[in-house]
Amino acid sequence: MTTVTLSLVSHTNAGKTTLARTLLGRDIGEVRDAPHVTEFADEYLLLESPAGHRLMLWDTPGFGDSVRLARRMAQSGQPLGWLLGQVWDRFTDRAFWASQQALRHVRGGSDVLLYLVNASEPEAGYLDAEMQLLAWIGKPVLVLLNQLGPPRAPDAEAREAERWRERLARWPAVRAVLALDAFARCWVHEAVLL
């Protein structure tokens, strides 16, 4: 019996829980238009074969202050970095601490990362810091383009994905860039992902 674990990761309030609901076909977690709604990583069974092979999906807290988070994770192997991340942040900035815990969990227990990006913000200032975080985790990354806007012709969608592929080409962990809107269920996009 084989288990493959996918982890949804992204900037806070990008639509991870909404996408998890779409993929699972049921209501899970809490969805609000606010940052840090998801506080802990939650695991769900996405698919199971008759032979018992399983595809698991983790919904995780968002990254929040990505630049600060990238610095903290880079320091986590040092005594002072450990103290700041495990003690100080836990009591002074609970959301920041939860993001760190989620990253450690993802690094230790995921096979593939599903990185959800807001396609309407191609120049977001946090993108490079989050790619550093994904590189720190060290797992293959599938970039999922969310919030693409109204349905478009397949060639326009392909051009958008290609622009994102070019932008993320310097990050070797990125294995593919796919359109997959968290809010609009599209069986074609889901089939391509799976």
Side-chain angles (χ1 to χ4, degrees):
M1 179 169 67
T2 303
T3 299
V4 175
T5 303
L6 307 174
S7 289
L8 278 168
V9 295
S10 75
H11 197 71
T12 187
N13 204 29
K16 290 179 303 301
T17 301
T18 300
L19 179 58
R21 286 178 169 200
T22 298
L23 293 172
L24 294 166
R26 66 181 198 272
D27 286 348
I28 54 99
E30 183 180 348
V31 175
R32 280 186 286 125
D33 187 15
H36 302 294
V37 174
T38 302
E39 293 184 10
F40 302 100
D42 293 314
E43 181 181 36
Y44 303 95
L45 176 64
L46 184 59
L47 296 170
E48 185 169 18
S49 76
H53 303 294
R54 302 173 85 190
L55 184 59
M56 304 303 294
L57 180 67
W58 280 93
D59 183 18
T60 66
F63 293 147
D65 185 346
S66 304
V67 173
R68 183 172 156 223
L69 186 56
R71 278 195 312 262
R72 182 71 88 234
M73 298 316 287
Q75 299 168 336
S76 65
Q78 303 165 4
L80 180 57
W82 180 89
L83 179 67
L84 289 171
Q86 294 297 320
V87 179
W88 179 259
D89 294 334
R90 183 177 196 160
F91 295 104
T92 62
D93 191 342
R94 185 84 173 165
F96 185 57
W97 176 80
S99 295
Q100 293 173 60
Q101 298 308 306
L103 282 171
R104 286 185 188 91
H105 165 77
V106 167
R107 187 178 195 191
S110 297
D111 297 303
V112 177
L113 305 180
L114 304 177
Y115 178 56
L116 189 63
V117 298
N118 182 343
S120 68
E121 296 180 339
E123 300 304 319
Y126 54 78
L127 191 62
D128 284 340
E130 291 182 1
M131 293 309 298
Q132 290 173 20
L133 288 168
L134 299 180
W136 176 83
I137 292 169
K139 306 289 179 165
V141 176
L142 301 178
V143 176
L144 306 178
L145 301 178
N146 187 30
Q147 299 178 19
L148 288 165
R152 296 181 283 174
D155 60 327
E157 195 173 274
R159 283 193 303 275
E160 179 79 15
E162 186 56 35
R163 279 192 292 276
W164 278 93
R165 274 187 212 92
E166 290 170 4
R167 170 125 197 252
L168 301 172
R170 67 186 176 113
W171 301 99
V174 175
R175 304 297 168 84
V177 177
L178 310 169
L180 187 65
D181 196 289
F183 302 98
R185 186 159 197 166
C186 176
W187 66 269
V188 174
H189 290 166
E190 290 177 39
V192 170
L193 169 64
L194 296 174

